[in-house]
Amino acid sequence: YIVDKLKSASYRNRQIGGFLTDQSFVAGLGNYLRCEILFVVGLGSKSKPSELSAEKIEQLAEAIIHLPRQSYETKGITNDVSAARSLIEQGRDFEDARFWVFRREGLNCYRCGDMIIKKKSAGQVCYYCVACQLKQEAL
């Protein structure tokens, strides 16, 4: 269903960062999930479904389903669950350990070590790892 919606005339040429929080696309996705979904799939907010490979569209659809479920089941963790729990055991703050990029501006990416930045996207602040997400996309 999500793959079909991403390929539909209504969404295929729209910027993903703009419609992920559009409740007519998928109800319940807020800004923190938008940032985390984009990170997990390795996309910037300006990417459009029409520009993505079939494999990347499948990854995006999976993240749109999986991350909200994981967050619900773990009381807000969207990061790798075992990594987040390990960070918390090591004394890291829950808010820092629970997210891949959201509200982590100026901190290092857990995946590559590069710095997380904050940029306005579709009227809301979004957080990105430049190395993991924005290699080909202009900020």
Side-chain angles (χ1 to χ4, degrees):
Y1 174 77
I2 299 294
V3 168
D4 289 344
K5 205 155 191 178
L6 288 165
K7 292 179 178 180
S8 74
S10 298
Y11 296 100
R12 70 175 173 238
N13 290 312
R14 288 180 57 191
Q15 293 180 354
I16 296 167
F19 70 71
L20 277 179
T21 56
D22 179 342
Q23 299 302 289
S24 67
F25 175 68
V26 173
L29 296 181
N31 192 40
Y32 90 93
L33 285 168
R34 171 179 78 136
C35 298
E36 297 292 282
I37 288 166
L38 289 170
F39 174 79
V40 166
V41 183
L43 296 173
S45 63
K46 295 179 183 178
S47 299
K48 298 175 183 179
S50 61
E51 302 166 341
L52 304 179
S53 68
E55 179 182 353
K56 194 57 99 171
I57 287 188
E58 289 287 336
Q59 290 174 357
L60 178 58
E62 174 64 28
I64 289 168
I65 299 299
H66 173 75
L67 247 63
R69 284 183 182 161
Q70 176 182 310
S71 181
Y72 176 77
E73 291 168 357
T74 61
K75 297 181 175 58
I77 296 172
T78 52
N79 191 355
D80 176 81
V81 176
S82 61
R85 289 185 176 143
S86 178
L87 288 166
I88 292 165
E89 287 171 9
Q90 295 168 24
R92 294 290 274 279
D93 181 272
F94 177 76
E95 285 300 306
D96 179 40
R98 72 185 274 208
F99 298 124
W100 285 105
V101 293
F102 188 71
R103 291 195 304 228
R104 297 193 65 246
E105 178 186 23
L107 299 173
N108 294 334
C109 174
Y110 290 128
R111 199 179 274 163
C112 76
D114 207 346
M115 192 175 291
I116 305 298
I117 64 163
K118 176 171 71 171
K119 183 91 175 149
K120 198 155 195 157
S121 168
Q124 300 177 60
V125 170
C126 201
Y127 299 82
Y128 305 94
C129 171
V130 175
C132 291
Q133 295 176 264
L134 304 177
K135 295 172 200 157
Q136 293 105 7
E137 184 176 295
L139 292 173

